[in-house]
């Protein structure tokens, strides 16, 4: 432990210059550490996520950006041998408190995964799954939600005539937008996106990016991406992570044009990573 | 791809080595031959089974026919006898002459004539089984005797010299036929003909009808005989002889009683008596049959009178089939029917029995004139006035052989069926006799007799029955596969009812709710259960489980409700635990607590068993199951409880679900736990009330389970089989379905959980439907195992081929039947082939199940493939 403490003290401090939204922070992360077994994956992450803004997490593979994202809605609970230390607050409520209702927590955060993962059911059933889970059976509410969510995910025009067909018949981009529709159907506060475009072609990617842009006002979006241009295009704030540490967290424009740290500059200009 | 310059590429460019190619080709062929070999083997087995089974349905064939002039026979033939080897034929004519001839060559063999003492034969009776004959004379006397072929096997050195060759290994000295046998032995066949002294029955009146049966012991032989004299007086006589052991003198006492008079003008054409002399049938020519009940010898009475040949028809045939249970009736119109004497409610007879026409066989085109029963089976011959001889079988109702008249306008004086049912000898009125060699290996089986309802001898109505063998020759084999198929289905169904929920719940539990370490222990343990030999399971089930279940049946039934309720109760109590404790004991202690809950519930069920039996089953479960005490309602309520609980729960969540959720959220965790427990308890009470009310209504409407699902309790029953076979099937279903559930892509699980679904909701609405193809395959494979399972059903099912859904009665499965009856089957006989048919049926059942399973699985899989 002494060695770890030493390493932490010797680690360079994070450079912060993030933009502040007008509604204050929604998530606060304080001194968050995470170990997979004996290997530490996250080191002393401290950051706030601003409400209503799009925050991008970038960094080379294995830097811990997806891990951090998955910690936010405790999806990492499924992993064996996980140890965490530190605090994560969603609107002041400790995410990792033993008393926290994980199920209720996840309902407040929609999540979109790397690979489109619609359920093997109809488009309609996919979208209303969060409501089904809540036990809502009122057909009117369900119909309204489907339209709202699909419109929100810019899929309504393409899918409205085939709502009862299998979601697996959609193209990859459509499937991912369906997953976004599913994520927003439950009306969450935060939308977590884990490399949502990595499995998609450029045109589908463009559509998703437009969608993120459109949703940015309504939801707090945290997006993990490998694609620097994407981060630059869609996000307000960008966090650059490297080897499990948060290196620089600042306004996107500045991170990409005039980063304060050399390492960030090297990464965003493609010198390593 | 272009090669980078300057790098050595020789090795990659070298042609593939020969040995590699040869190995590749070799592997290709080996795998191909292996695969084709497996397919061929399966089809080979199927073809072999079919090949063995087909003769059951192919009827019979005539192998050869010979005919010769019957020079020696002069008078009208009364009876003709043929020995077991179809060598020697002995005919008795109405002039008292006994004539014997070699059946194959027609050569006459010397025979002693019967000394009739100048009497004129007016009536005649004989028993095909033992060669006993009786003659009635014009002077009112009767004489008994024997007629047949005496067979002896002698050493070839004892054969007299100078024999005349008869062909086919037979030779004769003029008095006997000698047949060479393998191993220096010779079979000697000679005529056996003897006649006892006359007994006067109806002084001066000719005996026109006669039948008799012999019984008693060697020291005290007895004979019963019935006579009809020319005045129409019917007498029943009982002669008991006593042999003096020292002097060999025979003293005979005859007791005679007279039967009630027939209506005047009745011309008696036939008299029949049963073996025990308790029933006498007297037939008039016009078809009126009078059945007398002579159980009380001193007071015989007319039990029943009926017209068996309606209209102008005449009754031309009235005789017993082998076993004397069936009466064959033939008429001048050609009809051949079989009647049983059955006890019937509302019978118009004085003894409660009535004659029932059970089978109507294919009618002849001309009056039925001849009849010869088999002495071993229910086969018989009928001949008609147009010269046709038909070989029939009573059980299967089929006409197997139709022998056309060898000469136009021919009528037969006598037809004989060889003792082994392998030959027919007919004496024509044209001075010739005809000898057919036939082969009818399986006359008793047709598709209908195997898969349809058959009216068996002595049965009140047509039924599906399996009863393949018995101690006597007179037994009618009952080869219906339906009870066995039913038994297989019943065992499988009850076993699956028990096994599927447990196996699936276990699979869901280990794949979705426990961490990897626990799973790594539980799964191999469950798989080890599959390696328990089924003979051990059957043994334990039959010798240990069956008596336990029998002793504590009320507790066992109670346990079915108590164990799930105990688990639920435990879960709700757990929710009420303070969070601190709940977190601390969340791991192994919680796991142990589940076992504790099951154990406690089991103990409670055992402890309350007696009280439960008094409350629900009137204090005696077996009497209750019989339907003698108690009411259906409590048991029915127990059956309905799960359904009513589900209904009540759905009703509650429809009505108050959301409001209740908000309320729970507003409460502190412990209070929420208590509130939820209170809700559960309330719903349970409501469900019990609903179940009781429903049960009461259904019982009132006559829909109680007794008589159908529940009936007389037998120790080796389907419940025990269900338990034991469940043990054999659960590991298979568990392992395969657990693999299927585990194979569901992790991203679906993550997607569902990220949507805020609980692990249970995820399992039920995402994982299970996605893994459906695998789960379904698991269930089907388990079902295949249950269908083919043998040892457990042999040992624990009681092997009673009954057809009822009663869970407390035994059953006989196809597989068990093959195992049990294998030692009784003689190669190529009917039972042997029937067992192969059972095997083929089993094969077909598993084939159909697997094909259906595969089709349904493919449909599910198409969906899963897209993931």
């Amino acid at each position: 432990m002494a060695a770890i403490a030493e390493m932490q003290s010797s680690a360079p401090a994070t450079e912060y210059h993030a933009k502040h939204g007008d509604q204050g922070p929604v998530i606060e992360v304080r001194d968050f550490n995470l170990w997979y077994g004996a290997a530490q994956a996250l080191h002393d992450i401290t950051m706030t996520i601003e409400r209503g803004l799009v925050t991008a997490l970038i960094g080379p593979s294995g830097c811990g950006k997806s891990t951090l994202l998955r910690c936010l809605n405790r999806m990492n609970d499924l992993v064996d041998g996980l140890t965490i230390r530190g605090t994560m607050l969603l609107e002041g409520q400790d995410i990792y408190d033993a008393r926290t209702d994980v199920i209720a927590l996840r309902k407040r955060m929609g999540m979109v995964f790397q690979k489109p993962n619609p359920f093997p059911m109809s488009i309609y059933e996919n979208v209303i799954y969060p409501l089904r889970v809540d036990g809502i059976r009122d057909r009117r509410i369900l119909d309204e939600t489907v339209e709202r969510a699909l419109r929100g995910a810019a899929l309504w025009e393409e899918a409205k005539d085939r709502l009862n067909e299998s979601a697996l018949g959609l193209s990859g981009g459509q499937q991912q937008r369906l997953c976004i529709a599913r994520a927003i159907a439950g009306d969450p506060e935060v939308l977590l996106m884990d490399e949502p475009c990595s499995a998609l072609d450029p045109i589908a990617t463009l559509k998703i990016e437009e969608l993120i842009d459109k949703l940015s006002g309504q939801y707090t979006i945290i997006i993990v991406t490998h694609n620097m241009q994407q981060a630059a295009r869609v996000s307000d704030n960008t966090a650059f992570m490297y080897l499990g540490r948060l290196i620089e967290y600042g306004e996107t424009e500045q991170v990409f044009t005039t980063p304060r740290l050399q390492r960030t500059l090297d990464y965003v200009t493609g010198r390593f990573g | 791809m272009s090669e980078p310059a300057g790098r050595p590429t020789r090795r990659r460019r070298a042609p593939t080595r020969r040995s590699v190619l040869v190995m590749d080709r070799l592997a290709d062929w080996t795998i191909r031959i292996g695969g084709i070999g497996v397919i061929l083997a399966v089809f080979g087995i199927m073809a072999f089974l079919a090949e063995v089974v087909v003769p059951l349905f192919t009827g019979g064939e005539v192998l050869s026919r010979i005919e010769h002039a019957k020079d020696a026979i002069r008078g009208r033939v009364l009876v003709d006898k043929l020995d077991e080897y179809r060598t020697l034929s002995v005919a008795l004519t109405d002039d008292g002459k006994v004539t014997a001839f070699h059946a194959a060559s027609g050569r006459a063999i010397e025979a002693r004539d019967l000394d009739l003492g100048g009497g004129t034969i007016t009536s005649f009776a004989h028993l095909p089984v033992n060669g006993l004959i009786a003659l009635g004379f014009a002077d009112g006397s009767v004489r008994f005797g024997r007629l047949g072929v005496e067979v002896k096997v002698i050493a070839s050195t004892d054969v007299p010299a100078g024999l005349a060759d008869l062909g086919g290994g037979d030779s004769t000295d003029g008095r006997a036929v000698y047949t060479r046998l393998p191993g220096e032995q010779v079979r000697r066949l000679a005529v056996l003909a003897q006649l006892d002294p006359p007994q006067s029955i109806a002084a001066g009146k000719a005996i026109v009808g006669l039948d008799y049966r012999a019984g008693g012991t060697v020291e005290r032989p007895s004979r019963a005989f019935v006579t009809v004299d020319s005045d129409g007086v019917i007498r029943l006589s009982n002669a008991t002889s006593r042999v003096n052991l020292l002097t060999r003198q025979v003293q005979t006492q005859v007791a005679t009683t007279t039967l009630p008079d027939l209506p005047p003008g009745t011309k008696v054409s036939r008299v029949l008596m049963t073996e025990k002399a308790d029933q006498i049938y007297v037939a008039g020519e016009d078809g009126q049959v009078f059945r007398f009940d002579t159980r009380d010898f001193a007071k015989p009475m007319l039990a029943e009178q009926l017209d068996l040949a309606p209209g102008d028809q005449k009754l031309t045939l009235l005789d017993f089939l082998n076993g004397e249970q069936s009466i064959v009736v033939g008429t001048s119109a050609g009809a051949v029917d079989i009647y049983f004497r059955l006890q019937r409610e509302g019978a118009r007879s004085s003894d409660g029995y009535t004659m029932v026409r059970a089978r109507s066989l294919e009618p002849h085109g001309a009056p039925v004139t001849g009849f010869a029963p088999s002495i071993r089976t229910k086969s018989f011959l009928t001949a008609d006035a147009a010269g046709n001889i038909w070989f029939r079988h009573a059980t299967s109702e089929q006409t197997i052989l139709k022998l056309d008249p060898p000469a136009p306008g021919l009528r037969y004086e006598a037809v004989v069926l060889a003792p082994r049912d392998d030959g027919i000898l007919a004496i024509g009125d044209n001075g010739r006799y005809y000898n057919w060699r036939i082969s009818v290996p399986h006359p008793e089986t047709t598709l209908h007799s195997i898969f349809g309802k058959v009216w068996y001898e002595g049965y009140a109505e047509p039924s599906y029955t399996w009863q393949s063998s018995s101690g006597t020759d007179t037994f009618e084999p009952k080869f219906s596969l339906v009870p066995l198929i039913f038994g297989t289905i019943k065992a499988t169904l009850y076993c699956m009812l028990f096994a599927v929920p447990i196996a699936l719940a276990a699979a869901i539990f280990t794949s979705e709710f426990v961490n990897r370490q626990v799973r790594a222990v539980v799964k191999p343990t469950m798989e080890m259960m599959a390696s328990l030999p089924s003979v051990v399971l059957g043994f334990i089930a039959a010798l240990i489980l069956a008596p336990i279940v029998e002793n504590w049946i009320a507790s066992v039934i109670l346990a079915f409700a108590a164990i799930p309720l105990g688990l639920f109760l435990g879960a709700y109590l757990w929710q009420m635990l303070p969070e601190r404790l709940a977190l601390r004991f969340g791991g192994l202690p919680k796991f142990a607590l589940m076992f504790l809950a099951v154990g406690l519930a089991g103990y409670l069920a055992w402890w309350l068993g007696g009280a439960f039996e008094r409350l629900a089953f009137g204090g005696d479960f077996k009497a209750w199951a019989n339907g003698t005490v108690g009411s259906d309602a409590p048991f029915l309520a127990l059956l309905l409880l799960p359904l009513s609980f589900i209904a009540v729960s759905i009703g509650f969540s429809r009505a108050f679900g959301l409001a209740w959720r908000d309320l729970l959220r507003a409460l502190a965790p412990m209070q929420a736990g208590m509130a939820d427990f209170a809700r559960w308890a309330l719903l349970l009470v409501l469900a019990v009330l609903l179940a009781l009310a429903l049960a009461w209504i259904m019982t009132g409407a006559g829909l109680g389970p007794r008589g159908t699902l529940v009936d007389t309790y037998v120790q080796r029953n389907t419940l025990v089989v269900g338990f034991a076979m469940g043990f054999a099937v659960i590991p298979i279903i568990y392992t395969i379905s657990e693999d299927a559930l585990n194979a569901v892509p992790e991203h679906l699980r993550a997607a569902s959980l990220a949507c805020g679904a609980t692990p249970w909701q995820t399992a039920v609405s995402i994982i299970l439907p996605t893994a459906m193809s695998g789960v379904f395959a698991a269930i089907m494979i388990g079902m295949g195992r249950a269908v083919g399972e043998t040892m457990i059903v042999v040992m624990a099912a009681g092997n009673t081929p009954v057809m009822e859904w009663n869970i407390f009665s035994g059953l006989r499965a196809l597989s068990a039947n093959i195992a049990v009856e294998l030692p009784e089957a003689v190669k190529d006989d009917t039972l042997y082939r029937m067992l192969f048919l059972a095997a083929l049926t089993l094969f077909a059942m598993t084939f159909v199940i697997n094909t259906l399973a595969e089709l349904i699985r493919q449909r599910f899989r198409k969906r899963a493939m897209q993931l």
Side-chain angles (χ1 to χ4, degrees):
Chain A
M1 284 309 275
I4 293 171
E6 205 175 307
M7 255 176 66
Q8 280 173 346
S9 59
S10 67
T14 311
E15 197 63 45
Y16 293 102
H17 51 92
K19 184 159 84 179
H20 291 284
D22 17 315
Q23 295 163 49
V26 61
I27 293 174
E28 282 177 70
V29 182
R30 279 187 218 141
D31 295 326
F32 195 80
N33 290 276
L34 180 141
W35 290 264
Y36 288 123
Q40 188 165 11
L42 293 177
H43 296 264
D44 290 323
I45 309 289
T46 300
M47 66 191 292
T48 58
I49 306 288
E50 299 297 317
R51 190 186 294 275
L53 299 187
V54 178
T55 305
L57 298 177
I58 61 167
S61 297
C63 70
K65 53 192 191 301
S66 280
T67 302
L68 181 63
L69 189 80
R70 294 166 72 89
C71 281
L72 291 172
N73 67 345
R74 288 185 63 173
M75 289 302 285
N76 277 334
D77 285 10
L78 301 174
V79 181
D80 287 332
L82 193 87
T83 330
I84 55 148
R85 213 179 63 209
T87 322
M88 265 191 189
L89 301 174
L90 175 67
E91 294 188 323
Q93 186 198 341
D94 190 350
I95 291 174
Y96 278 91
D97 190 88
R99 276 173 240 184
T100 302
D101 180 352
V102 182
I103 304 302
L105 174 84
R106 287 181 187 147
K107 283 175 184 166
R108 295 169 66 182
M109 300 197 207
M111 188 161 187
V112 179
F113 294 81
Q114 203 166 347
K115 221 180 115 195
N117 54 0
F119 299 131
M121 319 171 178
S122 70
I123 294 171
Y124 187 93
E125 286 294 329
N126 259 284
V127 177
I128 60 163
Y129 185 72
L131 281 73
R132 281 258 186 259
V133 160
D134 280 343
I136 294 168
R137 288 191 194 80
D138 188 335
R139 196 80 199 168
R140 203 170 40 81
I141 297 177
L142 296 180
D143 287 345
E144 277 172 11
T145 307
V146 168
E147 186 169 348
R148 175 179 59 77
L150 285 176
R151 278 191 195 283
L155 193 61
W156 177 250
E157 291 305 322
E158 290 153 81
K160 68 179 177 190
D161 296 326
R162 45 195 287 203
L163 289 178
N164 291 318
E165 287 172 31
S166 169
L168 301 174
L170 297 172
S171 72
Q174 288 172 326
Q175 286 190 3
Q176 193 63 305
R177 276 181 281 151
L178 179 65
C179 291
I180 294 174
R182 184 175 68 196
I184 61 177
D187 210 12
E189 292 152 47
V190 181
L191 211 50
L192 308 175
M193 294 184 161
D194 190 358
E195 301 187 37
C197 303
S198 65
L200 302 182
D201 62 77
I203 295 170
T205 304
L206 188 69
K207 282 200 171 164
I208 302 284
E209 285 176 10
E210 282 170 3
L211 179 59
I212 293 170
D213 211 37
K214 198 180 108 189
L215 295 172
S216 63
Q218 303 169 38
Y219 302 95
T220 306
I221 296 175
I222 305 170
I223 178 168
V224 168
T225 180
H226 261 301
N227 182 332
M228 248 84 70
Q229 285 77 20
Q230 187 172 63
R233 279 196 296 268
V234 302
S235 67
D236 300 299
N237 284 327
T238 297
F240 169 57
M241 291 178 71
Y242 182 64
L243 294 178
R245 290 191 163 78
L246 182 61
I247 305 298
E248 184 163 353
Y249 179 39
E251 208 174 322
T252 300
E253 225 178 291
Q254 285 184 29
V255 170
F256 280 96
T257 52
T258 53
R260 303 212 177 145
L261 292 175
Q262 182 60 35
R263 209 178 309 176
T264 316
L265 184 69
D266 289 350
Y267 182 72
V268 298
T269 52
R271 266 183 226 148
F272 80 99
Chain B
M1 229 195 269
S2 64
E3 297 290 336
R7 277 178 61 186
T9 55
R10 193 157 25 93
R11 273 196 64 216
R12 297 300 297 170
R13 276 191 183 173
T16 314
R17 261 182 298 152
R18 218 181 162 67
S19 62
V20 172
L21 288 177
V22 168
M23 272 310 287
D24 191 60
R25 187 64 58 84
L26 206 66
D28 187 32
W29 278 101
T30 312
I31 290 164
R32 200 172 292 183
I33 289 168
I36 293 172
V38 169
I39 294 170
L40 283 183
V42 170
F43 275 98
I45 291 170
M46 204 152 73
F48 173 72
L49 288 179
E51 192 259 338
V52 175
V53 163
V54 159
L56 284 176
F57 306 106
T58 48
E61 56 180 334
V62 176
L63 301 175
S64 68
R65 195 197 86 194
I66 50 175
E67 58 173 279
H68 286 290
K70 42 147 203 176
D71 304 330
I73 303 175
R74 298 263 177 265
R76 191 172 66 85
V77 178
L78 289 175
V79 67
D80 188 272
K81 305 284 290 182
L82 194 62
D83 72 281
E84 227 179 308
Y85 312 99
R86 292 177 287 110
T87 309
L88 193 61
S89 173
V90 180
L92 173 68
T93 43
D94 60 356
D95 53 4
K97 273 189 146 19
V98 177
T99 320
F101 56 92
H102 183 239
S105 63
R107 169 91 176 255
I109 308 292
E110 186 194 316
R112 272 163 297 152
D113 289 349
L114 298 176
D115 177 17
L116 301 184
T120 311
I121 298 173
T122 50
S123 60
F124 172 77
H126 98 286
L127 292 175
V129 178
N130 48 20
L132 294 176
I133 56 168
L135 302 171
F137 292 92
D139 63 355
S141 64
V142 291
R143 295 182 75 172
F144 303 105
R146 294 188 68 180
L147 179 74
V149 179
E150 191 181 35
V151 181
K152 267 187 201 158
V153 175
I154 56 175
S156 56
T157 48
D158 296 344
V159 176
L163 298 182
D165 188 34
L166 291 170
D170 293 351
S171 50
T172 183
D173 58 357
R175 303 207 338 246
V177 176
Y178 298 89
T179 305
R180 272 200 302 279
L181 298 177
E184 298 297 308
Q185 286 187 314
V186 171
R187 189 190 298 130
R188 180 182 186 277
L189 302 111
V191 175
L192 173 77
Q194 66 176 67
L195 211 56
D196 294 350
Q199 294 174 7
S200 186
I201 295 299
K205 299 278 193 289
I207 307 288
V208 296
L210 176 64
D211 198 15
Y212 97 114
R213 295 291 181 267
T217 59
V218 177
E219 293 83 31
R220 303 189 66 169
S222 68
R223 284 190 191 111
F225 54 97
V226 58
T227 56
V228 184
D229 66 19
S230 52
D231 285 349
V233 178
I234 311 165
R235 291 185 185 83
L236 172 65
S237 308
N238 208 337
T240 318
S241 302
R242 184 173 294 179
V243 183
N244 188 314
L245 287 175
L246 292 176
T247 59
R248 291 273 151 204
Q249 262 190 340
V250 180
Q251 278 186 313
T252 304
Q253 285 184 322
V254 181
T256 298
T257 182
T258 307
L259 269 56
D261 288 339
L262 297 179
T266 307
K267 276 192 77 182
V268 173
S269 65
R270 187 82 175 98
V271 187
L272 268 187
M273 183 167 65
T274 54
E275 196 173 3
K276 288 178 190 153
D278 56 354
Q279 299 284 323
I280 290 165
Y281 301 87
V282 180
E285 265 181 0
D286 56 352
Q288 290 293 326
V289 171
F290 304 88
R291 183 168 66 80
F292 294 96
D293 176 8
T294 54
R295 282 174 297 187
D296 183 356
F297 184 79
K299 251 181 74 186
M301 57 179 185
L302 177 65
E304 191 183 6
Q305 176 188 354
L306 66 168
D307 187 4
L308 296 187
D312 298 340
Q313 297 177 46
K314 286 201 165 135
L315 188 74
T316 54
L317 164 63
L318 183 78
D319 215 329
F320 283 122
L321 271 187
N322 180 34
E324 305 197 345
Q325 294 253 352
S326 307
I327 295 175
V328 185
V329 173
T331 67
S332 57
V336 177
D337 298 326
I338 291 175
Y339 284 77
F340 301 155
R341 185 175 65 97
L342 296 175
Q343 200 161 19
R344 278 285 153 93
E345 269 182 47
R348 280 174 303 146
S349 60
S350 61
D351 61 352
Y353 286 87
T354 186
M355 299 284 287
V356 179
R357 185 169 68 186
R359 300 165 183 158
S360 274
L361 307 188
E362 188 182 351
H364 280 281
V368 179
T369 55
F371 171 77
S374 163
I375 59 170
R376 297 147 63 103
T377 66
K378 303 292 172 189
S379 300
F380 61 98
L381 297 177
T382 50
D384 67 18
N388 295 294
I389 299 176
W390 288 3
F391 184 103
R392 305 164 177 272
H393 193 271
T395 313
S396 64
E397 300 185 25
Q398 60 176 339
T399 308
I400 298 149
L401 291 177
K402 292 182 177 178
L403 306 176
D404 296 332
L410 176 73
R411 292 180 71 127
Y412 297 111
E413 288 182 8
V415 286
V416 192
L417 183 59
R420 291 185 177 175
D421 294 356
D422 55 355
I424 298 171
L425 193 128
I427 297 171
D429 61 355
N430 58 351
R432 296 186 80 77
Y433 77 90
Y434 302 91
N435 186 357
W436 289 269
R437 202 155 66 79
I438 60 170
S439 163
V440 187
H442 311 291
E444 59 273 73
T445 49
T446 58
L447 273 181
H448 178 259
S449 77
I450 292 171
F451 294 106
K453 273 190 176 179
V454 175
W455 199 340
Y456 296 106
E457 284 180 349
Y459 280 54
E461 58 194 10
S463 63
Y464 300 109
T465 307
W466 173 271
Q467 199 178 350
S468 59
S469 49
S470 155
T472 64
D473 273 352
T474 58
F475 165 77
E476 182 174 43
K478 299 164 186 72
F479 290 123
S480 176
L481 280 186
V482 177
L484 308 180
I485 296 171
F486 179 90
T488 296
I489 293 173
K490 180 181 168 187
T492 306
L493 200 81
Y494 280 115
C495 157
M496 296 308 270
L497 271 181
F498 176 69
V500 170
I502 291 180
L504 283 192
I508 292 173
F509 181 69
T510 41
S511 89
E512 305 298 318
F513 292 92
V514 296
N515 62 32
R516 230 181 303 158
Q517 285 99 323
V518 177
R519 188 171 165 263
V521 176
V522 172
K523 200 161 182 228
T525 313
M526 288 285 278
E527 279 161 7
M528 228 152 71
M529 229 169 99
S531 61
L532 264 180
S534 64
V535 65
V536 176
L537 284 176
F539 185 69
I540 292 172
L543 295 187
I544 296 169
L545 190 61
I548 289 176
V549 169
E550 189 187 22
N551 270 347
W552 286 288
I553 179 67
S555 300
V556 169
I557 291 171
L558 192 59
F560 273 105
I563 288 176
L565 287 180
L567 280 171
F568 273 115
L569 187 69
Y572 279 104
L573 289 180
W574 182 264
Q575 283 198 338
M576 286 159 60
L577 221 59
E579 266 171 85
R580 206 164 34 79
L581 291 177
L583 284 173
R584 182 172 331 153
F585 298 127
L588 203 63
K590 188 175 170 184
F591 207 62
L593 196 76
M594 289 186 212
F595 284 96
L596 191 71
V598 170
L600 267 179
Y603 176 78
L604 211 67
W606 175 77
W607 186 60
L608 289 174
F612 180 64
E613 193 165 1
R614 274 192 297 282
L615 191 72
F617 304 123
D620 181 356
F621 181 81
K622 285 183 185 170
W624 176 85
N626 279 334
T628 43
V629 299
S631 152
D632 278 356
F635 184 76
L636 190 57
L638 204 64
L639 285 184
L640 291 172
L641 187 59
L643 287 178
S644 75
F645 187 78
I646 290 170
V648 169
S649 304
I650 289 177
F652 179 85
S653 75
R654 281 279 155 94
F656 313 107
L658 293 173
W660 181 256
R661 202 183 307 252
D662 294 341
L663 178 72
L664 284 189
R665 220 162 261 160
L667 289 172
M670 233 180 99
Q671 286 171 316
M674 276 185 209
D676 218 29
F677 173 66
R679 178 196 65 109
W680 178 73
L682 182 75
L683 288 188
L684 187 63
V685 170
L686 281 177
V688 169
L689 290 178
L690 179 68
L692 278 173
L694 271 177
W696 185 72
I697 292 169
M698 281 175 72
T699 309
L703 289 169
R706 282 190 291 181
T708 51
L709 287 179
V710 177
D711 212 325
T712 307
Y713 190 91
V714 183
Q715 195 201 39
R716 306 277 165 90
N717 59 43
T718 317
L719 185 67
V720 175
V721 171
F723 279 141
M725 211 141 85
F727 262 86
V729 167
I730 283 172
I732 298 173
I733 301 181
Y734 165 79
T735 304
I736 301 174
S737 54
E738 212 269 353
D739 284 341
L741 293 173
N742 237 355
V744 172
E746 197 58 38
H747 62 75
L748 286 186
R749 208 166 276 130
S752 172
L753 292 173
C755 281
T758 59
W760 172 247
Q761 284 170 328
T762 305
V764 169
S765 48
I766 303 295
I767 308 296
L768 200 57
T770 310
M772 207 36 133
S773 73
V775 171
F776 195 77
I779 293 174
M780 281 295 166
I781 290 169
M783 197 154 136
R785 165 92 200 260
V787 166
E789 176 53 57
T790 310
M791 282 326 290
I792 293 172
V793 276
V794 166
M795 296 169 99
N799 288 317
T800 42
V802 292
M803 282 185 59
E804 47 185 52
W805 284 112
N806 178 10
I807 190 169
F808 299 123
S809 74
L811 55 92
R812 179 182 287 207
L814 281 167
S815 54
N817 186 62
I818 296 171
V820 167
E821 304 213 350
L822 195 65
E824 292 171 33
V826 180
K827 185 172 186 300
D828 289 344
D829 81 344
T830 304
L831 178 58
Y832 173 88
R833 293 188 195 280
M834 280 307 296
L835 293 186
F836 272 91
L837 182 62
L840 191 66
T841 311
L842 202 55
F843 193 101
M845 278 173 80
T846 41
F847 190 79
V848 167
I849 288 174
N850 287 350
T851 309
L852 271 181
E854 194 52 32
L855 287 177
I856 298 171
R857 213 165 71 88
Q858 293 291 353
R859 281 196 53 176
F860 281 124
R861 207 163 69 179
K862 243 181 229 163
R863 208 173 53 174
M865 283 288 276
Q866 291 169 304
L867 293 175

